[in-house]
Amino acid sequence: MRAMLLVNPKATTTNRRTQDVLIGALSATMSITVEETAYRGHAALLSRKAHASGYDVVAVLGGDGTINEAANGLLDAEDGRDGDATDRPALLVIPGGSANVFARALGLPNSTVEAVGAVLEAIRDGRRRTVGLGQALWNDESRYFTFCSGLGYDAEVIRAVEGMRGTGRKATPTRYVNTALHHYLSTDKRHAAITIEGPDVPRAGNVFMAIISNTSPWTYVGSRPICPTPWASFETGLDLLGLQRLGMPSMVHLLPQITGARDTLPTGRHLVQLHDEKEFTLTAERPVAFQLDGDYLGEVEQVTFRSIPNALQVLV
């Protein structure tokens, strides 16, 4: 079995020793080609190259952003080809970022070393899981996502943290929480901009923030999962939670309902909730912040979201 291992040398929780241990362990079970990512979008180019070159596996040591790029390269999102998962190399992920949401949603340990042991067992036993992805289309662009996307407040927080990372500070859970709390004081809580509608979705307006999920949890704060859409799954369509109020009473009511492992939907008069949807569109009256798998993508006024079932095989 031939594998291309993509290593993000700047990932939050990886170092050269960890990389060497991983390369040695994988080399004992597969023929490995190692490639280091050098710039944003490089992992997508490398995984596309692996696909074209007939590799059996694309392995990723990195965070959610690197994994997202690798998945997009495998699906060749720019050309819009949605073939069968068995036509593509399998994806193997080893968590190396700050949150590692996709890896943890697959059931992998958050520790890089422990995750290596788990994926070696998956290789040995031939364990594969087929997962669906989400797809976002805006302007003339298209991109797949593995676990979530969002418009509004959460994307604003990600934008702020990415700005801090640009100055050399790490994206720790504490930094995300502190930034979210600080940013909440200044975000617009009076003028909602977003409307949600779709072929099978009733129109809902006056939305401040929308979370679109391909799985659950949505994210983690340290070891604690945050589950605004607890029914979301890799085996179903897309889920959504929209907030029509951002005031303190509404947030105080909502936050305990989505913190920790959950299997019940949050309740509230000012929530918009969708489950297992194939397609819907979010339109904003003014440009709003947009994120995808924790990667800030700028401001948008309209995004269409689609569920892409059976998109990838994952060794897990």
Side-chain angles (χ1 to χ4, degrees):
M1 187 159 54
R2 296 172 63 222
M4 180 181 287
L5 172 63
L6 310 183
V7 177
N8 180 358
K10 296 182 179 180
T12 304
T13 59
T14 61
N15 53 47
R16 180 59 63 180
R17 178 179 294 179
T18 301
Q19 295 171 23
D20 291 343
V21 170
L22 172 62
I23 292 168
L26 291 180
S27 296
T29 59
M30 296 184 288
S31 174
I32 294 287
T33 299
V34 181
E35 299 278 2
E36 287 195 353
T37 59
Y39 51 85
R40 188 167 183 167
H42 196 193
L45 294 176
L46 291 170
S47 64
R48 191 175 292 121
K49 174 184 174 182
H51 192 341
S53 301
Y55 280 81
D56 302 297
V57 174
V58 170
V60 181
L61 173 60
D64 288 311
T66 308
I67 293 168
N68 175 275
E69 288 187 12
N72 272 273
L74 290 175
L75 271 76
D76 204 6
E78 292 181 358
D79 293 335
R81 295 195 296 270
D82 298 329
D84 187 85
T86 57
D87 298 329
R88 307 183 181 100
L91 183 66
L92 186 155
V93 298
I94 301 96
S98 57
N100 304 309
V101 179
F102 181 64
R104 293 160 85 175
L106 290 170
L108 287 170
N110 196 36
S111 161
T112 303
V113 174
E114 292 180 12
V116 170
V119 298
L120 289 175
E121 289 182 7
I123 294 169
R124 182 195 65 200
D125 298 339
R127 295 199 307 264
R128 296 189 178 213
R129 177 180 178 183
T130 302
V131 301
L133 298 179
Q135 183 184 27
L137 303 98
W138 71 103
N139 301 332
D140 294 323
E141 299 188 56
S142 169
R143 187 162 162 181
Y144 297 92
F145 57 98
T146 61
F147 62 93
C148 85
S149 183
L151 272 71
Y153 172 65
D154 77 313
E156 294 171 5
V157 173
I158 288 171
R159 175 174 59 193
V161 173
E162 285 196 3
M164 295 178 193
R165 292 184 70 180
T167 65
R169 286 178 282 183
K170 290 186 176 182
T172 63
T174 299
R175 177 150 289 131
Y176 270 105
V177 171
N178 290 341
T179 303
L181 292 173
H182 177 78
H183 196 71
Y184 176 78
L185 300 175
S186 60
T187 194
D188 185 352
K189 294 181 277 291
R190 293 187 176 183
H191 306 99
I194 301 169
T195 298
I196 303 163
E197 56 190 335
D200 301 310
V201 175
R203 187 178 186 275
N206 300 316
V207 174
F208 286 94
M209 167 184 169
I211 296 166
I212 299 91
S213 299
N214 185 52
T215 190
S216 185
W218 166 52
T219 190
Y220 289 83
V221 177
S223 62
R224 186 176 292 270
I226 308 299
C227 303
T229 52
W231 295 353
S233 164
F234 291 124
E235 286 73 42
T236 61
L238 299 178
D239 285 24
L240 175 144
L241 177 69
L243 277 60
Q244 293 176 311
R245 284 192 178 179
L246 279 182
M248 187 60 69
S250 299
M251 299 304 289
V252 168
H253 178 72
L254 175 65
L255 289 175
Q257 297 188 72
I258 67 174
T259 302
R262 302 280 172 172
D263 58 9
T264 56
L265 295 176
T267 61
R269 291 187 302 164
H270 303 287
L271 301 180
V272 179
Q273 299 182 81
L274 303 177
H275 171 60
D276 193 14
E277 294 291 345
K278 294 180 180 179
E279 178 179 327
F280 48 83
T281 297
L282 275 61
T283 303
E285 297 175 356
R286 60 181 182 275
V288 295
F290 171 43
Q291 67 89 6
L292 188 147
D293 276 354
D295 186 10
Y296 177 66
L297 296 181
E299 294 187 337
V300 296
E301 295 184 49
Q302 186 175 82
V303 186
T304 294
F305 294 95
R306 293 175 181 165
S307 172
I308 309 298
N310 303 319
L312 282 178
Q313 285 194 334
V314 184
L315 284 162
V316 68

